[in-house]
PDB file of all heavy atoms in Angstrom:
ATOM      1  N   GLY A  26       0.871  -1.204  -0.036  1.00  0.00           N
ATOM      2  CA  GLY A  26       0.025  -0.046   0.004  1.00  0.00           C
ATOM      3  C   GLY A  26       0.883   1.216  -0.103  1.00  0.00           C
ATOM      4  O   GLY A  26       0.540   2.157  -0.781  1.00  0.00           O
ATOM      5  N   ILE A  27       1.862   1.295   0.865  1.00  0.00           N
ATOM      6  CA  ILE A  27       2.749   2.454   0.831  1.00  0.00           C
ATOM      7  C   ILE A  27       3.497   2.604  -0.453  1.00  0.00           C
ATOM      8  O   ILE A  27       3.542   3.770  -0.985  1.00  0.00           O
ATOM      9  CB  ILE A  27       3.737   2.241   2.062  1.00  0.00           C
ATOM     10  CG1 ILE A  27       3.055   2.340   3.468  1.00  0.00           C
ATOM     11  CG2 ILE A  27       4.866   3.292   1.968  1.00  0.00           C
ATOM     12  CD1 ILE A  27       3.847   1.946   4.606  1.00  0.00           C
ATOM     13  N   ALA A  28       3.957   1.487  -0.999  1.00  0.00           N
ATOM     14  CA  ALA A  28       4.596   1.521  -2.262  1.00  0.00           C
ATOM     15  C   ALA A  28       3.755   2.131  -3.467  1.00  0.00           C
ATOM     16  O   ALA A  28       4.042   2.962  -4.141  1.00  0.00           O
ATOM     17  CB  ALA A  28       5.234   0.261  -2.734  1.00  0.00           C
ATOM     18  N   GLU A  29       2.457   1.556  -3.551  1.00  0.00           N
ATOM     19  CA  GLU A  29       1.520   2.186  -4.405  1.00  0.00           C
ATOM     20  C   GLU A  29       1.256   3.607  -4.311  1.00  0.00           C
ATOM     21  O   GLU A  29       1.065   4.303  -5.239  1.00  0.00           O
ATOM     22  CB  GLU A  29       0.260   1.268  -4.418  1.00  0.00           C
ATOM     23  CG  GLU A  29       0.290   0.094  -5.074  1.00  0.00           C
ATOM     24  CD  GLU A  29      -0.929  -0.638  -5.196  1.00  0.00           C
ATOM     25  OE1 GLU A  29      -1.976  -0.170  -4.583  1.00  0.00           O
ATOM     26  OE2 GLU A  29      -1.076  -1.625  -5.992  1.00  0.00           O
ATOM     27  N   ILE A  30       1.119   4.049  -3.042  1.00  0.00           N
ATOM     28  CA  ILE A  30       0.892   5.494  -2.745  1.00  0.00           C
ATOM     29  C   ILE A  30       2.040   6.303  -3.178  1.00  0.00           C
ATOM     30  O   ILE A  30       1.737   7.327  -3.919  1.00  0.00           O
ATOM     31  CB  ILE A  30       0.453   5.700  -1.337  1.00  0.00           C
ATOM     32  CG1 ILE A  30      -0.911   5.101  -0.994  1.00  0.00           C
ATOM     33  CG2 ILE A  30       0.491   7.210  -0.820  1.00  0.00           C
ATOM     34  CD1 ILE A  30      -1.153   4.989   0.583  1.00  0.00           C
ATOM     35  N   VAL A  31       3.231   5.930  -2.774  1.00  0.00           N
ATOM     36  CA  VAL A  31       4.413   6.589  -3.271  1.00  0.00           C
ATOM     37  C   VAL A  31       4.512   6.798  -4.837  1.00  0.00           C
ATOM     38  O   VAL A  31       4.754   7.830  -5.409  1.00  0.00           O
ATOM     39  CB  VAL A  31       5.723   6.150  -2.628  1.00  0.00           C
ATOM     40  CG1 VAL A  31       7.002   6.668  -3.129  1.00  0.00           C
ATOM     41  CG2 VAL A  31       5.592   6.346  -1.046  1.00  0.00           C
ATOM     42  N   ILE A  32       4.397   5.594  -5.515  1.00  0.00           N
ATOM     43  CA  ILE A  32       4.550   5.540  -6.797  1.00  0.00           C
ATOM     44  C   ILE A  32       3.433   6.407  -7.459  1.00  0.00           C
ATOM     45  O   ILE A  32       3.691   7.220  -8.395  1.00  0.00           O
ATOM     46  CB  ILE A  32       4.363   4.023  -7.448  1.00  0.00           C
ATOM     47  CG1 ILE A  32       5.625   3.267  -6.947  1.00  0.00           C
ATOM     48  CG2 ILE A  32       4.287   4.107  -8.977  1.00  0.00           C
ATOM     49  CD1 ILE A  32       5.470   1.798  -7.236  1.00  0.00           C
ATOM     50  N   GLY A  33       2.250   6.268  -7.092  1.00  0.00           N
ATOM     51  CA  GLY A  33       1.174   7.016  -7.492  1.00  0.00           C
ATOM     52  C   GLY A  33       1.391   8.581  -7.371  1.00  0.00           C
ATOM     53  O   GLY A  33       1.156   9.368  -8.432  1.00  0.00           O
ATOM     54  N   LEU A  34       1.781   9.069  -6.270  1.00  0.00           N
ATOM     55  CA  LEU A  34       2.040  10.430  -5.989  1.00  0.00           C
ATOM     56  C   LEU A  34       3.190  10.908  -6.899  1.00  0.00           C
ATOM     57  O   LEU A  34       3.079  12.115  -7.450  1.00  0.00           O
ATOM     58  CB  LEU A  34       2.378  10.746  -4.563  1.00  0.00           C
ATOM     59  CG  LEU A  34       1.213  10.573  -3.504  1.00  0.00           C
ATOM     60  CD1 LEU A  34       1.563  10.706  -2.128  1.00  0.00           C
ATOM     61  CD2 LEU A  34       0.040  11.453  -3.869  1.00  0.00           C
ATOM     62  N   LEU A  35       4.218  10.185  -7.071  1.00  0.00           N
ATOM     63  CA  LEU A  35       5.272  10.478  -8.020  1.00  0.00           C
ATOM     64  C   LEU A  35       4.892  10.687  -9.360  1.00  0.00           C
ATOM     65  O   LEU A  35       5.244  11.596 -10.164  1.00  0.00           O
ATOM     66  CB  LEU A  35       6.443   9.612  -7.740  1.00  0.00           C
ATOM     67  CG  LEU A  35       7.332   9.727  -6.406  1.00  0.00           C
ATOM     68  CD1 LEU A  35       8.304   8.652  -6.247  1.00  0.00           C
ATOM     69  CD2 LEU A  35       7.817  11.066  -6.345  1.00  0.00           C
ATOM     70  N   VAL A  36       4.109   9.716  -9.876  1.00  0.00           N
ATOM     71  CA  VAL A  36       3.476   9.769 -11.196  1.00  0.00           C
ATOM     72  C   VAL A  36       2.749  11.130 -11.341  1.00  0.00           C
ATOM     73  O   VAL A  36       2.793  11.703 -12.260  1.00  0.00           O
ATOM     74  CB  VAL A  36       2.608   8.502 -11.419  1.00  0.00           C
ATOM     75  CG1 VAL A  36       1.791   8.699 -12.722  1.00  0.00           C
ATOM     76  CG2 VAL A  36       3.616   7.281 -11.647  1.00  0.00           C
ATOM     77  N   CYS A  37       1.843  11.292 -10.346  1.00  0.00           N
ATOM     78  CA  CYS A  37       1.054  12.510 -10.420  1.00  0.00           C
ATOM     79  C   CYS A  37       1.773  13.845 -10.582  1.00  0.00           C
ATOM     80  O   CYS A  37       1.548  14.737 -11.370  1.00  0.00           O
ATOM     81  CB  CYS A  37       0.139  12.720  -9.218  1.00  0.00           C
ATOM     82  SG  CYS A  37      -1.295  11.568  -9.131  1.00  0.00           S
ATOM     83  N   LEU A  38       2.960  13.870  -9.919  1.00  0.00           N
ATOM     84  CA  LEU A  38       3.852  15.019  -9.867  1.00  0.00           C
ATOM     85  C   LEU A  38       4.700  15.091 -11.092  1.00  0.00           C
ATOM     86  O   LEU A  38       5.299  15.950 -11.509  1.00  0.00           O
ATOM     87  CB  LEU A  38       4.664  15.120  -8.619  1.00  0.00           C
ATOM     88  CG  LEU A  38       3.939  15.392  -7.320  1.00  0.00           C
ATOM     89  CD1 LEU A  38       4.919  15.060  -6.074  1.00  0.00           C
ATOM     90  CD2 LEU A  38       3.403  16.641  -7.297  1.00  0.00           C
ATOM     91  N   GLY A  39       5.024  13.875 -11.725  1.00  0.00           N
ATOM     92  CA  GLY A  39       5.930  13.767 -12.825  1.00  0.00           C
ATOM     93  C   GLY A  39       7.306  13.981 -12.389  1.00  0.00           C
ATOM     94  O   GLY A  39       8.134  14.453 -12.925  1.00  0.00           O
ATOM     95  N   LEU A  40       7.570  13.339 -11.183  1.00  0.00           N
ATOM     96  CA  LEU A  40       8.808  13.254 -10.545  1.00  0.00           C
ATOM     97  C   LEU A  40       9.433  12.006 -10.485  1.00  0.00           C
ATOM     98  O   LEU A  40       8.869  10.915 -10.249  1.00  0.00           O
ATOM     99  CB  LEU A  40       8.690  13.771  -9.137  1.00  0.00           C
ATOM    100  CG  LEU A  40       9.965  14.195  -8.344  1.00  0.00           C
ATOM    101  CD1 LEU A  40      10.781  15.281  -9.094  1.00  0.00           C
ATOM    102  CD2 LEU A  40       9.593  14.631  -7.003  1.00  0.00           C
ATOM    103  N   LEU A  41      10.802  11.911 -10.892  1.00  0.00           N
ATOM    104  CA  LEU A  41      11.523  10.709 -11.009  1.00  0.00           C
ATOM    105  C   LEU A  41      10.964   9.726 -12.112  1.00  0.00           C
ATOM    106  O   LEU A  41      10.848   8.560 -11.998  1.00  0.00           O
ATOM    107  CB  LEU A  41      11.798  10.078  -9.808  1.00  0.00           C
ATOM    108  CG  LEU A  41      12.317  10.687  -8.548  1.00  0.00           C
ATOM    109  CD1 LEU A  41      12.214   9.902  -7.312  1.00  0.00           C
ATOM    110  CD2 LEU A  41      13.699  11.026  -8.877  1.00  0.00           C
ATOM    111  N   ARG A  42      10.470  10.440 -13.288  1.00  0.00           N
ATOM    112  CA  ARG A  42       9.602   9.662 -14.202  1.00  0.00           C
ATOM    113  C   ARG A  42      10.370   8.487 -14.806  1.00  0.00           C
ATOM    114  O   ARG A  42       9.814   7.492 -15.129  1.00  0.00           O
ATOM    115  CB  ARG A  42       9.319  10.667 -15.366  1.00  0.00           C
ATOM    116  CG  ARG A  42       8.490  11.720 -14.925  1.00  0.00           C
ATOM    117  CD  ARG A  42       8.130  12.828 -16.042  1.00  0.00           C
ATOM    118  NE  ARG A  42       9.346  13.370 -16.596  1.00  0.00           N
ATOM    119  CZ  ARG A  42       9.547  13.745 -17.790  1.00  0.00           C
ATOM    120  NH1 ARG A  42       8.599  13.721 -18.529  1.00  0.00           N
ATOM    121  NH2 ARG A  42      10.556  14.350 -18.156  1.00  0.00           N
ATOM    122  N   LYS A  43      11.651   8.572 -14.984  1.00  0.00           N
ATOM    123  CA  LYS A  43      12.446   7.466 -15.557  1.00  0.00           C
ATOM    124  C   LYS A  43      12.242   6.154 -14.784  1.00  0.00           C
ATOM    125  O   LYS A  43      12.247   5.023 -15.357  1.00  0.00           O
ATOM    126  CB  LYS A  43      13.851   7.819 -15.552  1.00  0.00           C
ATOM    127  CG  LYS A  43      14.831   6.733 -16.121  1.00  0.00           C
ATOM    128  CD  LYS A  43      16.303   7.109 -16.063  1.00  0.00           C
ATOM    129  CE  LYS A  43      17.103   6.144 -16.771  1.00  0.00           C
ATOM    130  NZ  LYS A  43      18.582   6.622 -16.798  1.00  0.00           N
ATOM    131  N   PHE A  44      12.043   6.306 -13.442  1.00  0.00           N
ATOM    132  CA  PHE A  44      11.854   5.145 -12.539  1.00  0.00           C
ATOM    133  C   PHE A  44      10.336   4.759 -12.324  1.00  0.00           C
ATOM    134  O   PHE A  44       9.987   3.656 -12.327  1.00  0.00           O
ATOM    135  CB  PHE A  44      12.590   5.305 -11.275  1.00  0.00           C
ATOM    136  CG  PHE A  44      13.999   5.690 -11.495  1.00  0.00           C
ATOM    137  CD1 PHE A  44      14.399   6.971 -11.279  1.00  0.00           C
ATOM    138  CD2 PHE A  44      14.945   4.924 -11.917  1.00  0.00           C
ATOM    139  CE1 PHE A  44      15.779   7.385 -11.511  1.00  0.00           C
ATOM    140  CE2 PHE A  44      16.199   5.108 -12.156  1.00  0.00           C
ATOM    141  CZ  PHE A  44      16.623   6.320 -11.917  1.00  0.00           C
ATOM    142  N   VAL A  45       9.480   5.879 -12.051  1.00  0.00           N
ATOM    143  CA  VAL A  45       8.201   5.641 -11.594  1.00  0.00           C
ATOM    144  C   VAL A  45       7.184   5.199 -12.713  1.00  0.00           C
ATOM    145  O   VAL A  45       6.272   4.464 -12.454  1.00  0.00           O
ATOM    146  CB  VAL A  45       7.634   6.685 -10.702  1.00  0.00           C
ATOM    147  CG1 VAL A  45       8.480   6.813  -9.406  1.00  0.00           C
ATOM    148  CG2 VAL A  45       7.520   8.033 -11.364  1.00  0.00           C
ATOM    149  N   TYR A  46       7.351   5.811 -13.920  1.00  0.00           N
ATOM    150  CA  TYR A  46       6.501   5.397 -14.966  1.00  0.00           C
ATOM    151  C   TYR A  46       6.603   3.964 -15.339  1.00  0.00           C
ATOM    152  O   TYR A  46       5.545   3.314 -15.462  1.00  0.00           O
ATOM    153  CB  TYR A  46       6.842   6.260 -16.281  1.00  0.00           C
ATOM    154  CG  TYR A  46       6.371   7.667 -16.178  1.00  0.00           C
ATOM    155  CD1 TYR A  46       5.852   8.312 -15.006  1.00  0.00           C
ATOM    156  CD2 TYR A  46       6.556   8.481 -17.352  1.00  0.00           C
ATOM    157  CE1 TYR A  46       5.594   9.641 -15.049  1.00  0.00           C
ATOM    158  CE2 TYR A  46       6.244   9.901 -17.223  1.00  0.00           C
ATOM    159  CZ  TYR A  46       5.604  10.338 -16.128  1.00  0.00           C
ATOM    160  OH  TYR A  46       5.255  11.747 -16.058  1.00  0.00           O
ATOM    161  N   PRO A  47       7.673   3.380 -15.456  1.00  0.00           N
ATOM    162  CA  PRO A  47       7.769   1.888 -15.652  1.00  0.00           C
ATOM    163  C   PRO A  47       7.262   1.036 -14.379  1.00  0.00           C
ATOM    164  O   PRO A  47       6.498   0.098 -14.632  1.00  0.00           O
ATOM    165  CB  PRO A  47       9.288   1.510 -15.872  1.00  0.00           C
ATOM    166  CG  PRO A  47       9.964   2.892 -16.273  1.00  0.00           C
ATOM    167  CD  PRO A  47       9.063   3.967 -15.606  1.00  0.00           C
ATOM    168  N   LEU A  48       7.420   1.533 -13.259  1.00  0.00           N
ATOM    169  CA  LEU A  48       6.831   0.809 -12.077  1.00  0.00           C
ATOM    170  C   LEU A  48       5.422   0.979 -12.206  1.00  0.00           C
ATOM    171  O   LEU A  48       4.704  -0.037 -11.949  1.00  0.00           O
ATOM    172  CB  LEU A  48       7.350   1.496 -10.768  1.00  0.00           C
ATOM    173  CG  LEU A  48       8.866   1.282 -10.343  1.00  0.00           C
ATOM    174  CD1 LEU A  48       9.260   2.103  -9.202  1.00  0.00           C
ATOM    175  CD2 LEU A  48       8.971  -0.178 -10.175  1.00  0.00           C
ATOM    176  N   GLN A  49       4.757   2.086 -12.441  1.00  0.00           N
ATOM    177  CA  GLN A  49       3.338   2.188 -12.539  1.00  0.00           C
ATOM    178  C   GLN A  49       2.857   1.129 -13.646  1.00  0.00           C
ATOM    179  O   GLN A  49       1.835   0.654 -13.471  1.00  0.00           O
ATOM    180  CB  GLN A  49       2.977   3.584 -12.847  1.00  0.00           C
ATOM    181  CG  GLN A  49       1.480   3.675 -13.201  1.00  0.00           C
ATOM    182  CD  GLN A  49       1.003   5.113 -13.578  1.00  0.00           C
ATOM    183  OE1 GLN A  49       0.271   5.660 -12.718  1.00  0.00           O
ATOM    184  NE2 GLN A  49       1.476   5.467 -14.751  1.00  0.00           N
ATOM    185  N   ALA A  50       3.544   1.336 -14.740  1.00  0.00           N
ATOM    186  CA  ALA A  50       3.113   0.439 -15.913  1.00  0.00           C
ATOM    187  C   ALA A  50       3.161  -1.021 -15.521  1.00  0.00           C
ATOM    188  O   ALA A  50       2.109  -1.843 -15.878  1.00  0.00           O
ATOM    189  CB  ALA A  50       3.989   0.623 -17.161  1.00  0.00           C
ATOM    190  N   ALA A  51       4.155  -1.431 -14.943  1.00  0.00           N
ATOM    191  CA  ALA A  51       4.365  -2.846 -14.408  1.00  0.00           C
ATOM    192  C   ALA A  51       3.059  -3.260 -13.418  1.00  0.00           C
ATOM    193  O   ALA A  51       2.441  -4.258 -13.680  1.00  0.00           O
ATOM    194  CB  ALA A  51       5.552  -3.103 -13.571  1.00  0.00           C
ATOM    195  N   VAL A  52       2.801  -2.471 -12.533  1.00  0.00           N
ATOM    196  CA  VAL A  52       1.603  -2.626 -11.701  1.00  0.00           C
ATOM    197  C   VAL A  52       0.238  -2.767 -12.378  1.00  0.00           C
ATOM    198  O   VAL A  52      -0.502  -3.696 -12.286  1.00  0.00           O
ATOM    199  CB  VAL A  52       1.618  -1.598 -10.518  1.00  0.00           C
ATOM    200  CG1 VAL A  52       0.196  -1.735  -9.784  1.00  0.00           C
ATOM    201  CG2 VAL A  52       2.766  -1.540  -9.625  1.00  0.00           C
ATOM    202  N   LEU A  53       0.118  -1.692 -13.328  1.00  0.00           N
ATOM    203  CA  LEU A  53      -1.172  -1.763 -13.963  1.00  0.00           C
ATOM    204  C   LEU A  53      -1.216  -2.832 -15.129  1.00  0.00           C
ATOM    205  O   LEU A  53      -2.354  -3.410 -15.335  1.00  0.00           O
ATOM    206  CB  LEU A  53      -1.390  -0.390 -14.493  1.00  0.00           C
ATOM    207  CG  LEU A  53      -1.542   0.712 -13.451  1.00  0.00           C
ATOM    208  CD1 LEU A  53      -1.639   2.151 -14.130  1.00  0.00           C
ATOM    209  CD2 LEU A  53      -2.805   0.455 -12.543  1.00  0.00           C
ATOM    210  N   VAL A  54      -0.225  -3.078 -15.808  1.00  0.00           N
ATOM    211  CA  VAL A  54      -0.257  -3.998 -16.924  1.00  0.00           C
ATOM    212  C   VAL A  54      -0.269  -5.482 -16.217  1.00  0.00           C
ATOM    213  O   VAL A  54      -1.029  -6.324 -16.721  1.00  0.00           O
ATOM    214  CB  VAL A  54       1.047  -3.970 -17.772  1.00  0.00           C
ATOM    215  CG1 VAL A  54       1.098  -5.093 -18.731  1.00  0.00           C
ATOM    216  CG2 VAL A  54       0.935  -2.636 -18.630  1.00  0.00           C
ATOM    217  N   ILE A  55       0.397  -5.788 -15.139  1.00  0.00           N
ATOM    218  CA  ILE A  55       0.428  -7.055 -14.648  1.00  0.00           C
ATOM    219  C   ILE A  55      -0.905  -7.364 -14.067  1.00  0.00           C
ATOM    220  O   ILE A  55      -1.478  -8.429 -14.130  1.00  0.00           O
ATOM    221  CB  ILE A  55       1.547  -7.232 -13.578  1.00  0.00           C
ATOM    222  CG1 ILE A  55       2.852  -7.326 -14.232  1.00  0.00           C
ATOM    223  CG2 ILE A  55       1.300  -8.428 -12.666  1.00  0.00           C
ATOM    224  CD1 ILE A  55       4.054  -7.227 -13.360  1.00  0.00           C
ATOM    225  N   GLY A  56      -1.534  -6.305 -13.299  1.00  0.00           N
ATOM    226  CA  GLY A  56      -2.848  -6.480 -12.925  1.00  0.00           C
ATOM    227  C   GLY A  56      -3.911  -6.697 -13.812  1.00  0.00           C
ATOM    228  O   GLY A  56      -4.789  -7.510 -13.810  1.00  0.00           O
ATOM    229  N   ALA A  57      -3.745  -5.920 -15.116  1.00  0.00           N
ATOM    230  CA  ALA A  57      -4.611  -6.326 -16.185  1.00  0.00           C
ATOM    231  C   ALA A  57      -4.442  -7.702 -16.750  1.00  0.00           C
ATOM    232  O   ALA A  57      -5.414  -8.446 -17.088  1.00  0.00           O
ATOM    233  CB  ALA A  57      -4.467  -5.316 -17.268  1.00  0.00           C
ATOM    234  N   LEU A  58      -3.161  -8.176 -16.901  1.00  0.00           N
ATOM    235  CA  LEU A  58      -2.905  -9.412 -17.434  1.00  0.00           C
ATOM    236  C   LEU A  58      -3.572 -10.512 -16.547  1.00  0.00           C
ATOM    237  O   LEU A  58      -3.896 -11.540 -16.976  1.00  0.00           O
ATOM    238  CB  LEU A  58      -1.489  -9.643 -17.618  1.00  0.00           C
ATOM    239  CG  LEU A  58      -0.858  -8.827 -18.794  1.00  0.00           C
ATOM    240  CD1 LEU A  58       0.811  -9.047 -18.797  1.00  0.00           C
ATOM    241  CD2 LEU A  58      -1.288  -9.375 -20.133  1.00  0.00           C
ATOM    242  N   ALA A  59      -3.385 -10.315 -15.282  1.00  0.00           N
ATOM    243  CA  ALA A  59      -4.019 -11.301 -14.285  1.00  0.00           C
ATOM    244  C   ALA A  59      -5.530 -11.520 -14.398  1.00  0.00           C
ATOM    245  O   ALA A  59      -6.022 -12.639 -14.204  1.00  0.00           O
ATOM    246  CB  ALA A  59      -3.762 -10.958 -12.945  1.00  0.00           C
ATOM    247  N   ILE A  60      -6.218 -10.511 -14.993  1.00  0.00           N
ATOM    248  CA  ILE A  60      -7.579 -10.734 -15.159  1.00  0.00           C
ATOM    249  C   ILE A  60      -7.995 -10.669 -16.796  1.00  0.00           C
ATOM    250  O   ILE A  60      -9.121 -10.260 -17.050  1.00  0.00           O
ATOM    251  CB  ILE A  60      -8.347  -9.562 -14.469  1.00  0.00           C
ATOM    252  CG1 ILE A  60      -8.005  -8.236 -14.715  1.00  0.00           C
ATOM    253  CG2 ILE A  60      -8.328  -9.874 -12.974  1.00  0.00           C
ATOM    254  CD1 ILE A  60      -8.756  -7.070 -14.229  1.00  0.00           C
TER     255      ILE A  60
END
């Protein structure tokens, strides 16, 4: 939960994009693939 909140807030801000955009994509794409 803490990791998702931190990643989500960093994505919203557009901060550390090189790292957080792929992390967000991994969470959302893996979540979609599972269903």
Side-chain angles (χ1 to χ4, degrees):
I27 291 169
E29 279 188 350
I30 291 168
V31 169
I32 293 167
L34 290 174
L35 289 171
V36 166
C37 287
L38 294 171
L40 188 59
L41 304 175
R42 295 176 303 148
K43 180 179 181 179
F44 306 107
V45 298
Y46 287 5
L48 287 173
Q49 174 185 248
V52 170
L53 295 176
V54 169
I55 290 168
L58 288 174
I60 55 172

